[in-house]
Amino acid sequence: MILMSVNKPEYQDEVQVLIKAFHPFCRVEMQKEDGNTGDEVEKQISVVVEGQIINVLIDGKLSTGEAFDTSKKAMYHALKRTLYLALRENTGKDLPWGMLTGVRPTKIVMGLLEEGRQEEEICSYMKKHYFISPQKLELSLDVAKREKSLLEKLDYQNGFSLYIGIPFCPTTCLYCSFTSYPIGVWKKRTDDYVNALLKEMDFTAQWFAGRKPDTVYFGGGTPTTLEAEQMDRILTALEEKFDLSGLKELTVEAGRPDSVTKEKLEVLKQHNVTRISINPQTMNQKTLDLIGRRHTVEQVEEAFHLARQCGFDNINMDLIVGLPGEDIEDVRHTMEEVKKLSPDNLTVHSLAIKRAAALNAWKDKFSGSIHNTDEIISMTAEYAGRMGLHPYYLYRQKNMAGNFENVGYARNSMEGLYNILIMEEKQTIIAMGAGGSSKFVFPEDNRIERIENVKDVKNYIERIDEMIERKKRFFTENKI
């Protein structure tokens, strides 16, 4: 365990996140007033912020830094810079993303590009201010340039996007922290859920009448756990309630291959779904069994070929590197098998052990078998290149194995626009369904507001009028 103390409560989260970046498998706890932890302490880290002076004490060694001024932004930067340098010296290692701990590392680069900065100037700035490695700098610049060119084609200030959440899955995966419920338990109430969802869709369509969505994304959970007729009801309602004449992308996650049937795929095709996801996460059966996927590698292949037969020409596959027990050869095997299928999109995630995931409770058991290295990440990028896929968006999460990132790769003109929009936060996204989190962008005020639906399915069904009324008040107060 690592014991930390911070004299300013507002900085505790930032300090803990950066410490965890250097020590991902150590528990980090705040120093109690009585000093009694009850556990063996491996390292003690103290951070003291006084005016413009920041002192970091690690195992008795003092590091001192100064902020440029006392503004909140400058203090956060100075704090992280001083702590990063102290931790780097203490551990003897650099982090690939330097002191960047946010989920959107390309957002800074994107902002500099939009200011008209030259690439050389951007590289110099990122190295000096954030200690980002040359490899990650090249990746973030490549992604930001591609995102910028794609977003320039959208009227993302006047347009909007839709997220429709289906919170059911065949089973819950060990690493999952999303709003997801086993379909077997909720089978008798899925019609009730669809009815509540259609009610929320109807309200949203009426409020946004006269405006056209740019993208629509069905996520979850696994939308294809619903019956074909239920999916048909939702997609029909989408077409009837919203003006889709300007729609550039309609994505449905068919993430679990054990939820895919020919009948369901035909429904999606009939409703002009342009992009789907079939997500193996790994092509190693022993790992699938361990993480609770409850399907076979053969089912992944069958679902993919079936989707091709039904006419889908933009198929994404999600993979996770750093899964328990997998080494570089296991990941190489997965990449070889995926290459044979030749998807049009490939999203490579670095495992993130989140608090809400079952894996978090078992992390001590698996920590010694969770591996992610620069060599593995580089190998997945090389395989994506061999498949004719280029990186077009990326994001990061807390507690990621190896402190790396999630990268989306795609063929030209097959990039997932919704993925870029949700990462770059340049367009309002209205989320409907249990656990949906709407994000409202106010560019003129340089602010973003969020409004969330309840996560629990039963509560969502029973409190749908409350969810709608909450949004109505928010829309009215903010003149949306």
Side-chain angles (χ1 to χ4, degrees):
M1 182 183 71
I2 294 175
L3 199 60
M4 74 171 192
S5 63
V6 186
N7 72 322
K8 303 285 187 181
E10 62 268 32
Y11 299 126
Q12 288 177 6
D13 287 344
E14 290 290 336
V15 170
Q16 187 168 29
V17 168
L18 196 52
I19 292 173
K20 287 289 289 181
F22 278 91
H23 301 279
F25 298 114
C26 281
R27 197 166 90 248
V28 180
E29 297 286 350
M30 280 294 298
Q31 172 79 58
K32 296 180 181 178
E33 289 186 12
D34 60 8
N36 182 21
T37 66
D39 294 307
E40 182 180 349
V41 177
E42 301 173 39
K43 193 177 293 291
Q44 285 190 294
I45 300 175
S46 176
V47 178
V48 178
V49 181
E50 294 293 347
Q52 291 177 266
I53 305 299
I54 298 164
N55 290 320
V56 175
L57 195 68
I58 303 180
D59 294 338
K61 183 169 183 178
L62 180 66
S63 299
T64 299
E66 294 187 14
F68 298 107
D69 57 60
T70 54
S71 69
K72 183 177 180 180
K73 184 176 180 180
M75 285 301 297
Y76 268 113
H77 185 87
L79 171 67
K80 291 176 69 173
R81 182 184 182 89
T82 306
L83 180 59
Y84 179 85
L85 292 173
L87 287 166
R88 185 174 71 175
E89 183 178 357
N90 180 262
T91 61
K93 67 179 183 181
D94 283 296
L95 299 181
W97 285 100
M99 56 182 268
L100 290 177
T101 55
V103 300
R104 300 174 180 85
T106 58
K107 199 167 184 179
I108 300 171
V109 178
M110 173 76 87
L112 294 172
L113 283 172
E114 289 177 335
E115 289 175 9
R117 304 282 189 93
Q118 298 299 309
E119 289 185 25
E120 185 177 340
E121 184 182 2
I122 293 173
C123 291
S124 176
Y125 178 87
M126 297 299 289
K127 287 177 184 177
K128 179 180 178 181
H129 285 78
Y130 300 103
F131 310 109
I132 185 172
S133 73
Q135 294 84 1
K136 300 310 175 190
L137 180 54
E138 181 181 0
L139 173 63
S140 59
L141 190 57
D142 188 13
V143 168
K145 288 191 296 183
R146 199 173 298 277
E147 287 183 340
K148 184 172 181 291
S149 67
L150 290 167
L151 291 180
E152 284 174 344
K153 302 172 185 177
L154 298 180
D155 183 8
Y156 50 75
Q157 291 187 0
N158 296 315
F160 69 102
S161 287
L162 294 172
Y163 175 86
I164 299 173
I166 309 297
F168 306 110
C169 271
T171 57
T172 301
C173 300
L174 195 64
Y175 54 80
C176 185
S177 63
F178 292 107
T179 302
S180 174
Y181 299 88
I183 188 67
V185 176
W186 290 92
K187 200 76 173 176
K188 294 181 179 178
R189 299 217 65 184
T190 52
D191 277 333
D192 294 336
Y193 180 81
V194 171
N195 291 336
L197 177 62
L198 294 182
K199 192 171 187 179
E200 188 176 14
M201 289 174 65
D202 188 53
F203 161 76
T204 304
Q206 289 180 32
W207 197 275
F208 283 82
R211 296 175 63 180
K212 301 177 182 180
D214 288 311
T215 72
V216 178
Y217 193 99
F218 281 77
T222 305
T224 44
T225 51
L226 294 180
E227 298 298 329
E229 59 190 25
Q230 293 171 324
M231 294 166 58
D232 181 60
R233 281 186 65 199
I234 299 171
L235 286 162
T236 298
L238 176 70
E239 293 166 345
E240 292 176 349
K241 298 175 189 297
F242 293 90
D243 182 353
L244 303 183
S245 60
L247 196 66
K248 298 168 182 65
E249 176 183 281
L250 173 51
T251 298
V252 174
E253 287 190 3
R256 287 286 292 266
D258 46 342
S259 71
V260 175
T261 66
K262 184 177 181 181
E263 184 183 12
K264 293 177 184 179
L265 290 173
E266 287 175 341
V267 166
L268 301 185
K269 196 64 183 173
Q270 288 165 8
H271 288 281
N272 300 311
V273 171
T274 58
R275 182 175 178 271
I276 64 171
S277 281
I278 296 173
N279 304 328
Q281 313 303 0
T282 175
M283 296 295 271
N284 294 288
Q285 190 62 51
K286 59 173 182 155
T287 312
L288 289 173
D289 295 339
L290 176 65
I291 62 178
R293 291 287 286 183
R294 305 286 177 86
H295 64 76
T296 65
V297 171
E298 289 73 25
Q299 283 178 295
V300 174
E301 296 167 346
E302 290 167 2
F304 189 93
H305 292 308
L306 184 59
R308 286 291 196 222
Q309 291 168 16
C310 289
F312 288 96
D313 59 3
N314 193 349
I315 303 177
N316 172 74
M317 300 187 84
D318 277 9
L319 304 176
I320 300 177
V321 293
L323 289 170
E326 291 208 345
D327 59 20
I328 189 168
E329 292 308 317
D330 293 309
V331 178
R332 190 188 308 279
H333 171 75
T334 290
M335 300 308 296
E336 284 288 347
E337 294 305 303
V338 168
K339 185 176 175 230
K340 294 175 186 175
L341 295 173
S342 189
D344 311 287
N345 284 231
L346 181 69
T347 309
V348 180
H349 299 266
S350 291
L351 177 68
I353 304 177
K354 296 186 177 181
R355 186 177 301 172
L359 185 57
N360 185 57
W362 293 6
K363 64 183 177 184
D364 291 339
K365 175 181 178 181
F366 291 116
S367 62
S369 65
I370 294 176
H371 307 290
N372 196 12
T373 65
D374 188 56
E375 184 181 8
I376 293 176
I377 291 293
S378 296
M379 181 185 69
T380 60
E382 289 171 7
Y383 268 94
R386 292 179 205 168
M387 290 183 244
L389 310 177
H390 54 254
Y392 76 94
Y393 93 108
L394 69 87
Y395 68 101
R396 304 182 68 225
Q397 297 164 281
K398 293 180 181 179
N399 303 328
M400 297 185 80
N403 197 242
F404 291 107
E405 66 282 326
N406 305 321
V407 182
Y409 301 90
R411 302 190 195 282
N412 284 325
S413 77
M414 293 191 175
E415 298 87 354
L417 294 176
Y418 176 87
N419 292 332
I420 299 173
L421 289 168
I422 199 167
M423 281 302 113
E424 292 304 325
E425 298 183 315
K426 290 182 176 293
Q427 184 181 71
T428 289
I429 297 176
I430 311 298
M432 297 170 285
S437 179
S438 298
K439 186 185 298 185
F440 298 89
V441 179
F442 299 91
E444 64 281 0
D445 301 326
N446 193 29
R447 68 184 173 99
I448 294 173
E449 300 284 348
R450 290 173 173 81
I451 183 167
E452 298 181 350
N453 287 347
V454 294
K455 294 183 178 181
D456 182 76
V457 172
K458 182 174 181 291
N459 276 333
Y460 177 78
I461 293 170
E462 295 175 355
R463 296 169 58 189
I464 185 58
D465 291 334
E466 178 187 329
M467 298 298 100
I468 290 172
E469 186 58 35
R470 183 191 300 175
K471 282 185 174 177
K472 185 176 181 179
R473 286 198 304 270
F474 180 87
F475 293 166
T476 302
E477 290 171 2
N478 287 276
K479 299 179 181 180
I480 293 174

